[in-house]
Amino acid sequence: MDLFLDFLAAFGRQLQSPTLAFLLGGMAIAALGSRLEIPDAIYRFIVVVLMLRIGLGAGIAIREADLSELLLPALAAALLGVVIVLIGRVTLAPLSGPRPEDGIATAGLFGAVSASTLAAAMVLMEEDGLRFEAWVPALYPFMDIPALLTAIVLAQLGRKGGKARPRLGAIIVDSLRGSALSALALGLVLGMIARPDPVFHSFYDPLFRGFLSILMLIMGMEASARLAELRRVAHVYAVYGLTAPLVHGGLGFALGWLAHLATGFSPGGVVLLAVMAASSSDISGPPTLRAAIPSANPAAYIGASTSIGTPVALLSIPLWIALADVVFAL
């Protein structure tokens, strides 16, 4: 009973977080017939600012890191992003009814990373005294971009069906030209080779949470408009949202442990890699998939990810910390 009450309390706190609160608020006002509209130009601007902020922050951290220590964990993160989407393609997508792209987009979000879940894990670990390398949070673009690209490529391959064989390289290049991924990649490169710290701390960082709340409001309104399409397969996405974070987090912990054996990757780094694998994107993923896979239902991939997957991922953080205590005899 205590465990169940703790779960309800944690879930209640998550409902109050800006990400989920504004998402649910957008769904509520859309369901009530509100005429609130946010111009698409403003939406695109917000997405670009958010993606630049994420890329700049990651690039700054990578610039100050020892690249030899970062290489293997970065490869592990990229592999996790791809594998998680492929797992979703062979498990969830076939159960998505007549719209397999809904399952692919959902797997794409679960392969990508939630910055808010990562931040929560860092706070908990610091309170627990569990050390990690300063550059570990910068691993999330290495998982984010491969996961989103894999989902986009799989969706485009599916749309081509049995027609002429598509050019995989052209699909990847076209995907990288999308506004969200382009901004993320640009920010990453600028953070590594330039000195954007002043503008990062004075402009991008202060705007981050406010712009994120508007983005979630827009996504909630759009998801609400398409909720009826989800009812036929909602149970499938609910089961996936409950189980996928634990499976993916376990894979992340296993790969992090192998990196620990090979390079001395810290136990804290292993935990953060597991948390990133368990999380599902709440910032970069939705706008990227919305633009690249327009036929996918946001109610499916956002509902499974943010409404179910994110609370489960947050609640699993103590599990990965406890597992590290056992495995590494901390």
Side-chain angles (χ1 to χ4, degrees), residues 16-278:
Q16 296 175 332
S17 70
T19 297
L20 197 52
F22 276 85
L23 178 78
L24 295 176
M27 296 176 69
I29 62 172
L32 292 173
S34 171
R35 299 178 188 174
L36 175 64
E37 293 184 7
I38 297 176
D40 193 56
I42 294 178
Y43 169 84
R44 291 196 298 268
F45 172 73
I46 289 174
V47 169
V48 169
V49 172
L50 291 178
M51 294 302 102
L52 281 171
R53 187 270 182 193
I54 293 172
L56 286 169
I60 290 170
I62 292 172
R63 185 188 68 209
E64 299 171 353
D66 184 341
L67 295 183
S68 64
E69 295 180 358
L70 186 147
L71 180 60
L72 188 58
L75 290 175
L79 179 62
L80 280 167
V82 173
V83 169
I84 287 171
V85 178
L86 293 178
I87 291 173
R89 177 64 184 89
V90 300
T91 57
L92 179 62
L95 301 175
S96 300
R99 299 171 58 89
E101 62 268 30
D102 290 350
I104 293 173
T106 304
L109 282 195
F110 276 80
V113 179
S114 165
S116 58
T117 303
L118 178 61
M122 292 166 62
V123 171
L124 287 174
M125 291 169 61
E126 288 172 359
E127 293 175 350
D128 201 55
L130 186 55
R131 185 191 66 84
F132 55 89
E133 293 86 350
W135 48 260
V136 175
L139 291 178
Y140 69 78
F142 292 94
M143 193 181 300
D144 228 46
I145 294 176
L148 295 174
L149 278 177
T150 302
I152 293 167
V153 168
L154 289 175
Q156 293 196 21
L157 289 174
R159 282 201 297 269
K160 292 182 180 293
K163 298 179 181 179
R165 185 177 179 181
R167 297 171 57 192
L168 189 60
I171 292 176
I172 293 176
V173 170
D174 186 61
S175 301
L176 283 171
R177 287 173 178 167
S179 59
L181 283 181
S182 293
L184 180 63
L186 175 62
L188 186 65
V189 172
L190 290 176
M192 288 189 292
I193 66 175
R195 296 287 174 179
D197 306 58
V199 70
F200 175 79
H201 293 295
S202 64
F203 178 76
Y204 288 98
D205 209 31
L207 291 176
F208 181 71
R209 292 186 181 275
F211 276 9
L212 175 61
S213 67
I214 298 175
L215 176 63
M216 288 297 103
L217 181 66
I218 295 171
M219 300 307 295
M221 294 165 61
E222 182 172 337
S224 178
R226 303 180 69 173
L227 273 176
E229 301 176 23
L230 183 61
R231 291 173 183 168
R232 295 189 304 272
V233 291
H235 59 289
V236 174
Y237 289 93
V239 172
Y240 183 83
L242 288 169
T243 58
L246 300 178
V247 175
H248 301 162
L251 290 174
F253 194 97
L255 281 182
W257 176 71
L258 292 176
H260 168 78
L261 295 179
T263 66
F265 191 40
S266 70
V270 175
V271 170
L272 282 182
L273 190 62
V275 170
M276 284 188 275

